[in-house]
Amino acid sequence: MKIAVCIKRVPDMEGSFRIAPSGTAVDETGLKWDISDFDGYAVEAALQLTEKAGAGEVTVISLGTDVVQGTLRKALSMGCAKAVQLKCDQVPFDPFAIASALAAELQGGGYDLVMFGKMSIDSANGAVGLMVADILGLPMVHGCSKLDIASGKGTARREIEGGGELVSFPLPAVVSIDEGIARPRYPSLKGIMAAKKKPLEAKAAQLGPVRLTVVKMELPAARAAGRIIGEGAGAVPELVRLLQTEAKVI
Amino acid sequence: MPNILVVAETRGGEPRKVALEALAAARSLADQVGGAVHAILAGPPGMAAKAATLGAHGADVVAITEHAGLANYDAESMAALVAARVQGGEYRVVIFSASAQGKDLAPRTAAKLRSTLAGDVTSIVIDGDALVVTHPGYTGKVIQTLRLSGTPALVSVRPGAFTVTPVAKAGTVEQVALPSEPGASRVVTTETVLGDTRKLDLGEAPVIVSGGRGLKAPEHFKLVEDLAAAFGNAAVGATRAVTDEGWRPHSDQIGQTGRLVSPDLYVAVGISGAIQHLAGMRTSRCIVAINKDKEAPIFKVADYGIVGDVFEVVPALTAAVAEARKSH
Ligand SMILES: Cc1cc2nc3c(=O)[nH]c(=O)nc-3n(C[C@H](O)[C@H](O)[C@H](O)COP(=O)(O)OP(=O)(O)OC[C@H]3O[C@@H](n4cnc5c(N)ncnc54)[C@H](O)[C@@H]3O)c2cc1C
Ligand SMILES: Nc1ncnc2c1ncn2[C@@H]1O[C@H](COP(=O)(O)O)[C@@H](O)[C@H]1O
């Protein structure tokens, strides 16, 4: 079983952000970077599938400048077999531009399963995986919280509003991963050593047209400072009064 | 013609509130450019009877597709239907809802049209031949203003970002056939596991009462449910700490990796207010927090906070809300 997982390098979301002087990006000083949350779940799920099958290998792909090589190495140290960097000067915001480049790499790669995160945690488009599936003409299940492959067929649970959906689909296919599947493992020391010798190929990204760009970034307006109106059940009448007369929600 | 197309989301044969919000966004754009609003209304037989609802919220033309196979969302046939409509008309903007369904449908449709998508937007302005939209990123910590070029411009609008606005329109109706059979989809749904469908959906409820680990045990969610019942128009949500424990289903989770909600009133019961939770609810109009720790971060965003034990405060609040609604 050949699996490809597309991973994005993103800053850690803890702490607060500052806007860079350009006004169109976050200030990168002091930020820690890692595999985007859902993409990490996808890597873990892919590794578990090959381990369970006792066969197959996982290739990780990331589009970006040379800094993504560190992100790819991390995935190799978790147990992925190969890595591909799709090189570009700047990662575009446009999901179709990214999807076109990933699809060009995936096309003809002979993968049984191509995996994505449900969304990247910085851009939060939630679009690239669905777009790649359409470009490749493959069936797609978006937002899987459970995933299994058996006798050449996939089954998954996908999260929908108010519940879940159990689905089955033929391979090759594309899936995107929601949380709930698996917490990503920490690379072992042995894994980190082994990763240094694993193949990491860099090639030029064939980006699609860029039609969606960031023209401004701002921090959201702060909510008015919170107000504590009292302590214990004794504060309830005042709360209800405020909800009726001030907030007008009762 | 600078028309605007809305993909009106339905569930169980009814247009959803998010569809009416998308219509409100479309109506103001159409009025700005002097165009008409068209809406796609697709669902099981009987759907046509709901066209008037869309007309009453600003649709000039409702394109109806009825098919038994559309009783539940079918991604592949819906994407084919929307793409065909977009190709056949000269639309300036196509608006989807950034609900679970719309988040699945919009990127598929965009790719079919070899177009891109501005997803989950909170405002839209037409600027010459481009669209300028705002989109929260970085778990809601950064607001990105995006410029989208190309016609038609595809966007999905965040639930709660646009206000439902009744605008009576005559609303002419067209019947449209489905270009591809739902049965032909490669992904087959074998089972749908729904929570209690009588419950209000988190995305549509005007009031949400949410519980956190401060409730200590699953059976204590009764307190939260009773308070929701006292409001009468409330849904029940939860934190990830709670859904991870299995006290509540994953579908109840609010936050970065759960549902994004913007109700009129959000009541946080025994919730600390971690950033990942705030990412899903901080745009609520009014936030109430009940927590015994006065330093809990939830109090920084709460309009009204009560420092206290949930087991004492919540029953008192439930009784007081029930009383207030009775005398109202
Ligand atoms: C990648 C990632 C994604 C995440 N996504 C989400 C998400 O989508 N949604 C989400 O909610 N979380 C998410 N989390 C988890 C988040 O970081 C917090 O761990 C979680 O929100 C905490 O839930 P809680 O407030 O219920 O529990 P706790 O943090 O344990 O807080 C419990 C609170 O209850 C109070 N309390 C205790 N007893 C009482 C009492 N008797 N009366 C009154 N108050 C009491 C305590 O003072 C405390 O403030 C995510 C985390 C990560 C790393
Ligand atoms: N630059 C990138 N390199 C590799 N994969 C990416 C990249 N950007 C997005 N993806 C993948 O596409 C998914 C959805 O991203 P997005 O549409 O930006 O939310 C992510 O979770 C990744 O799996």
Side-chain angles (χ1 to χ4, degrees):
Chain A
M1 184 166 39
K2 278 186 75 178
I3 304 182
V5 186
C6 295
I7 62 172
K8 188 177 186 187
R9 174 184 181 267
V10 299
D12 181 10
M13 294 295 148
E14 294 290 335
S16 50
F17 288 97
R18 274 164 308 168
I19 304 300
S22 68
T24 60
V26 295
D27 181 352
E28 297 194 356
T29 28
L31 294 183
K32 285 185 293 183
W33 299 79
D34 204 347
I35 302 174
S36 186
D37 301 46
F38 297 105
D39 306 1
Y41 302 140
V43 170
E44 178 62 36
L47 290 171
Q48 288 187 13
L49 284 175
T50 54
E51 284 160 3
K52 187 173 151 233
E57 60 172 30
V58 181
T59 302
V60 275
I61 304 174
S62 190
L63 176 136
T65 62
D66 288 349
V67 292
V68 305
Q69 292 189 4
T71 314
L72 289 166
R73 285 274 176 228
K74 165 144 187 214
L76 293 176
S77 69
M78 290 169 71
C80 297
K82 291 181 199 158
V84 179
Q85 176 200 2
L86 301 177
K87 235 176 174 13
C88 59
D89 300 332
Q90 197 195 352
V91 182
F93 187 87
D94 190 320
F96 190 75
I98 297 172
S100 302
L102 293 172
E105 171 59 23
L106 291 161
Q107 184 93 56
Y111 298 107
D112 302 298
L113 189 64
V114 179
M115 298 175 66
F116 290 85
K118 177 177 79 167
M119 67 171 190
S120 60
I121 218 77
D122 55 350
S123 313
N125 284 319
V128 170
L130 288 150
M131 287 178 166
V132 167
D134 195 87
I135 298 170
L136 297 178
L138 293 177
M140 161 70 182
V141 185
H142 182 51
C144 301
S145 58
K146 287 201 177 79
L147 177 66
D148 199 14
I149 305 289
S151 31
K153 254 186 59 181
T155 49
R157 177 187 161 109
R158 76 180 213 93
E159 296 305 319
I160 57 174
E161 281 164 17
E165 229 172 45
L166 307 186
V167 299
S168 73
F169 53 92
L171 299 183
V174 179
V175 298
S176 75
I177 302 300
D178 200 339
E179 66 167 350
I181 274 221
R183 298 263 157 144
R185 65 193 66 185
Y186 290 103
S188 64
L189 192 59
K190 200 168 130 229
I192 295 171
M193 298 310 289
K196 294 189 176 148
K197 297 193 206 75
K198 289 182 178 172
L200 191 163
E201 187 188 354
K203 45 171 106 164
Q206 297 169 38
L207 288 170
V210 174
R211 291 170 289 200
L212 181 65
T213 53
V214 179
V215 291
K216 192 162 86 188
M217 273 205 198
E218 299 163 283
L219 303 178
R223 265 191 96 88
R227 167 152 66 116
I228 290 180
I229 57 167
E231 284 188 22
V236 164
E238 174 64 359
L239 174 60
V240 172
R241 190 189 68 79
L242 289 167
L243 291 177
Q244 283 183 301
T245 58
E246 197 175 83
K248 300 194 169 56
V249 285
I250 301 186
Chain B
M1 268 268 278
N3 291 340
I4 314 291
L5 180 65
V6 170
V7 182
E9 184 168 319
T10 64
R11 180 194 276 179
E14 292 285 337
R16 298 188 64 192
K17 180 170 170 235
V18 289
L20 306 184
E21 292 171 5
L23 276 175
R27 190 70 251 164
S28 67
L29 292 179
D31 292 343
Q32 193 187 328
V33 295
V37 172
H38 294 194
I40 293 180
L41 181 63
M47 204 71 242
K50 312 292 176 189
T53 310
L54 301 189
H57 290 85
D60 298 292
V61 176
V62 181
I64 294 166
T65 303
E66 293 182 322
H67 192 293
L70 293 180
N72 290 313
Y73 169 62
D74 182 76
E76 292 182 21
S77 52
M78 276 303 291
L81 174 70
V82 179
R85 178 88 194 178
V86 175
Q87 274 161 337
E90 288 174 15
Y91 292 108
R92 176 69 191 84
V93 183
V94 182
I95 304 182
F96 299 83
S97 300
S99 55
Q101 213 184 90
K103 283 181 174 172
D104 187 90
L105 178 62
R108 291 178 192 267
T109 311
K112 270 195 199 322
L113 297 164
R114 295 294 179 261
S115 190
T116 197
L117 169 78
D120 202 19
V121 311
T122 49
S123 70
I124 311 172
V125 173
I126 294 179
D127 180 18
D129 52 9
L131 227 55
V132 176
V133 302
T134 51
H135 163 86
Y138 296 80
T139 67
K141 290 184 161 188
V142 174
I143 306 297
Q144 326 194 56
T145 302
L146 309 174
R147 191 175 171 84
L148 174 60
S149 61
T151 297
L154 276 62
V155 300
S156 66
V157 294
R158 173 174 278 219
F162 294 86
T163 310
V164 174
T165 319
V167 193
K169 284 276 166 184
T172 56
V173 165
E174 287 172 20
Q175 302 288 337
V176 179
L178 201 57
S180 81
E181 282 293 306
S185 286
R186 292 162 295 181
V187 177
V188 179
T189 303
T190 50
E191 197 185 328
T192 307
V193 204
L194 279 183
D196 186 349
T197 49
R198 290 162 307 170
K199 283 195 316 197
L200 274 172
D201 185 86
L202 283 169
E204 307 200 346
V207 176
I208 294 177
V209 184
S210 243
R213 187 151 45 199
L215 283 156
K216 305 261 186 337
E219 58 272 22
H220 298 150
F221 261 78
K222 175 95 177 36
L223 291 179
V224 172
E225 277 164 359
D226 288 349
L227 178 53
F231 279 109
N233 54 354
V236 173
T239 62
R240 171 152 141 190
V242 161
T243 57
D244 275 358
E245 294 280 355
W247 297 356
R248 301 294 292 187
H250 177 75
S251 53
D252 284 359
Q253 182 175 317
I254 289 169
Q256 175 190 324
T257 47
R259 300 287 299 277
L260 303 180
V261 298
S262 269
D264 293 335
L265 174 64
Y266 188 90
V267 185
V269 176
I271 291 176
S272 60
I275 52 158
Q276 294 93 348
H277 188 76
L278 299 184
M281 47 63 76
R282 68 181 319 146
T283 54
S284 303
R285 199 157 71 68
C286 177
I287 298 174
V288 168
I290 302 162
N291 193 305
K292 68 174 182 194
D293 173 10
K294 69 176 193 314
E295 304 297 332
I298 191 76
F299 285 128
K300 295 216 167 62
V301 301
D303 299 280
Y304 310 124
I306 294 185
V307 179
D309 186 341
V310 293
F311 299 102
E312 180 207 330
V313 177
V314 176
L317 182 57
T318 302
V321 169
E323 190 55 36
R325 289 192 61 242
K326 224 187 307 156
S327 55
H328 201 55

